[in-house]
Amino acid sequence: MIAAAQAGRFDDLPLYDRAIETMPREELRALQLAKLKEQVAYTYQKVEHYRHLMDQMGVTPDDIRTLDDIRKLPFTDKSTLRDTYPYGLFAVDLDDIIELHASSGTTGTPIVVGYTRADMDVWSDCIARLVQMAGVVPGDIAQMAFGYGMFTGGFGLHYGLQKLGCAMIPAGSGNTERHIKMIEDYGTTVLIATPSYAMHICEVGEQMGYDWEASSLRVGLFGGEPCPPALKAELERRMHIVCTDNYGLTEVMGPGVSGECLAQRFQQHIAEDHFLAEVVDPVTGEPVAEDQVGELVLTPLDKQGIPVLRYRTHDLTRLTTEPCVCGRTHARMDKVRSRSDDMLIIRGTNVFPSQIEDVLAGIDEVTPHYHIIVETKDGMDALTVETELRPEKMSDSFEQMERMRRTIADKLKGTLLVGVNVRLVEPGGIQRTTGKAKHIDDLRQR
Ligand code: DLL
């Protein structure tokens, strides 16, 4: 089936919910509007926080007459969920909540979200849809390498894959050698992980002498963090799989918001019957034109447990509604590479980690593993990039290594327009992760 897609044939690929996924856009927008009206009325009625805000702004649910009227509604930020922790935004009695999850955020008060049975059904439908879009079929054997804790990744993907009819192997994250053995012994066909953990699994497999080309593994369902094009290409080349990317966030559901189809390899279809997506200027909050990059704002259209309105994701992307060759009509978002809040300001210059990633990706001598350190030295910002050498590129010659280091520093400076201290690290020297990679240490005193 994937072979058909690779050959550019999409007509006979199965869709999880053909009527919804290929719905004409006019109808889709009408469906969104009907749901939005209901959702705003529900939220106003059930959640004191929103009722209070909307009263203050002089907006009532009856003011929502078109999809553009969503702009009359207040934004929601992570801080809203923190300030109302734990249950302040819940719209139902705890008796009606059947599962709780929490954000993976490491700083500040956590945020917690609750799902009703209906929310869980929508969630697993969204996942079943996106995994099928990625080439997974009923009968696939799917091995979970996300953790099964409060993180939405593990259980979210698990339920959806089961709903599609896959056999789940709930291995969880970590114990990488065991993952390889399970793939081999159980004939795993689908691997679920963050792209950085997938890279680690790939490397450990190679070190163990595992033959990825002969492996049963066919599809990588990766997500939870950016998967830059170079990393995707490397995973596909070394693991001999089709590597797909899916996106989501705890505050609006977890994974399941959008996923990559087999035709559009750098964009993801949004489940628009369940989410209304806007893209706004991250500073002014005003909408940007279709095709312009801005911050993604999401409103879940049928969430009962926590019905958030206009959630500011901080993720930077752009939307297109151009028809897709896969036949799906739902808008596509560019793969998220950066967040509005991960921009570093180095001596007055804006630097996105994704720019560093892209420069390193163009250098043959280094692996996709990198680490950025920002410090204050002599009262000034100092940027250090640690990059890991490929084993075959190591040299005993100090001069050769120094030349390589300088070339990389010059390339980084040429793109970033700030001086960078480059540190070459031996193969395997950059810490591997079993979850989301932490690429940046900002140690500046503020
Ligand atoms: O990471 C949900 C998820 C789990 C999605 C597993 C896909 C697979 P949080 O822990 O709340 O939820 O983190 C959400 O992670 O705002 C993005 O910045 C980032 N993120 C998630 N998926 C992607 C992706 C889950 N495919 C935050 N590409 C989001 C880029 C992603 N960034």
Side-chain angles (χ1 to χ4, degrees):
M1 193 195 76
I2 288 180
Q6 279 168 339
R9 293 198 330 270
F10 298 96
D11 40 344
D12 60 348
L13 296 183
L15 277 81
Y16 180 72
D17 189 342
R18 183 171 291 274
I20 287 284
E21 291 176 73
T22 62
M23 184 177 257
R25 285 205 64 79
E26 288 269 289
E27 274 176 49
L28 184 57
R29 288 177 68 78
L31 176 68
Q32 286 186 310
L33 180 58
K35 283 191 171 191
L36 179 67
K37 287 180 178 175
E38 262 187 45
Q39 185 71 356
V40 173
Y42 171 77
T43 308
Y44 183 84
Q45 193 195 342
K46 302 278 187 181
V47 187
E48 214 248 306
H49 167 85
Y50 285 113
R51 190 165 51 249
H52 179 67
L53 266 185
M54 286 170 64
D55 286 349
Q56 269 185 340
M57 295 166 81
V59 192
T60 72
D62 290 339
D63 291 322
I64 305 298
R65 290 185 207 100
T66 68
L67 285 177
D68 286 344
D69 286 336
I70 193 164
R71 293 181 205 147
K72 297 175 179 166
L73 298 172
F75 285 121
T76 306
D77 218 313
K78 201 185 239 344
S79 61
T80 316
L81 282 106
R82 286 200 173 125
D83 296 346
T84 53
Y85 179 84
Y87 297 137
L89 286 191
F90 280 39
V92 296
D93 255 18
L94 280 181
D95 286 353
D96 295 323
I97 295 290
I98 62 163
E99 192 155 318
L100 293 178
H101 281 277
S103 82
S104 55
T106 46
T107 51
T109 313
I111 61 111
V112 65
V113 291
Y115 303 74
T116 63
R117 191 165 298 282
D119 291 336
M120 294 304 287
D121 285 344
V122 169
W123 195 13
S124 39
D125 265 341
C126 285
I127 298 288
R129 185 191 299 183
L130 80 80
V131 302
Q132 181 135 24
M133 189 151 68
V136 177
V137 288
D140 262 317
I141 302 176
Q143 187 164 315
M144 177 61 68
F146 282 141
Y148 274 100
M150 297 302 279
F151 177 51
T152 50
F155 282 106
L157 267 303
H158 182 111
Y159 296 134
L161 281 153
Q162 270 188 340
K163 185 152 193 174
L164 183 66
C166 299
M168 282 310 298
I169 304 178
S173 69
N175 207 338
T176 309
E177 294 194 358
R178 192 180 62 141
H179 267 291
I180 310 289
K181 185 156 175 17
M182 284 178 160
I183 294 172
E184 171 75 356
D185 292 353
Y186 302 150
T188 303
T189 53
V190 177
L191 179 69
I192 307 104
T194 58
S196 42
Y197 188 39
M199 191 68 234
H200 184 40
I201 294 176
C202 169
E203 291 169 333
V204 171
E206 286 169 351
Q207 284 152 17
M208 290 165 65
Y210 184 64
D211 182 354
W212 285 112
E213 191 168 6
S215 167
S216 51
L217 203 65
R218 217 165 38 80
V219 179
L221 288 176
F222 302 145
E225 64 177 7
C227 184
L231 179 58
K232 179 186 177 91
E234 183 138 357
L235 286 166
E236 294 198 327
R237 180 175 58 79
R238 285 166 66 177
M239 293 180 97
H240 297 268
I241 56 173
V242 170
C243 159
T244 65
D245 189 5
N246 64 86
Y247 166 90
L249 58 158
T250 311
E251 294 83 352
V252 302
M253 182 160 81
V257 172
S258 66
E260 209 173 343
C261 70
L262 291 173
Q264 293 294 330
R265 307 303 309 284
F266 294 101
Q267 290 180 324
Q268 297 152 330
H269 287 280
I270 300 175
E272 282 193 286
D273 50 325
H274 296 297
F275 298 96
L276 187 61
E278 303 169 78
V279 178
V280 304
D281 180 311
V283 178
T284 64
E286 290 301 315
V288 302
E290 176 164 328
D291 254 357
Q292 294 296 302
V293 174
E295 177 181 346
L296 182 67
V297 174
L298 291 168
T299 302
L301 292 173
D302 33 30
K303 203 145 168 275
Q304 294 183 344
I306 295 197
V308 289
L309 299 179
R310 303 190 82 199
Y311 187 75
R312 297 205 49 165
T313 65
H314 292 287
D315 292 319
L316 299 178
T317 187
R318 74 194 159 144
L319 297 187
T320 174
T321 52
E322 287 291 301
C324 179
V325 292
C326 76
R328 292 180 181 83
T329 51
H330 292 221
R332 284 164 284 147
M333 55 185 266
D334 280 5
K335 278 153 83 71
V336 171
R337 296 288 314 276
S338 303
R339 292 175 52 84
S340 57
D341 53 6
D342 71 6
M343 187 180 77
L344 297 165
I345 302 179
I346 310 289
R347 300 193 289 280
T349 303
N350 300 345
V351 172
F352 279 103
S354 56
Q355 294 175 291
I356 297 177
E357 233 164 54
D358 287 343
V359 172
L360 296 177
I363 298 171
D364 285 346
E365 286 83 357
V366 299
T367 69
H369 303 286
Y370 70 95
H371 187 221
I372 299 168
I373 303 157
V374 194
E375 298 158 286
T376 309
K377 279 192 181 156
D378 303 326
M380 302 267 280
D381 298 330
L383 175 63
T384 300
V385 173
E386 293 182 333
T387 176
E388 189 182 285
L389 286 167
R390 292 189 188 273
E392 66 279 13
K393 302 291 179 182
M394 289 285 283
S395 161
D396 289 338
S397 153
F398 175 79
E399 285 78 22
Q400 203 177 329
M401 296 290 276
E402 182 55 17
R403 219 175 307 126
M404 198 191 299
R405 197 187 68 75
R406 285 227 196 92
T407 308
I408 297 174
D410 287 347
K411 285 191 176 165
L412 283 168
K413 185 170 181 190
T415 297
L416 307 179
L417 308 177
V418 287
V420 182
N421 173 33
V422 170
R423 211 175 277 154
L424 296 182
V425 177
E426 64 191 7
I430 292 192
Q431 199 181 358
R432 304 298 193 253
T433 170
T434 58
K436 301 190 187 208
K438 183 170 183 291
H439 291 297
I440 307 170
D441 269 324
D442 193 341
L443 309 173
R444 285 177 286 191
Q445 303 110 26
R446 287 174 208 272

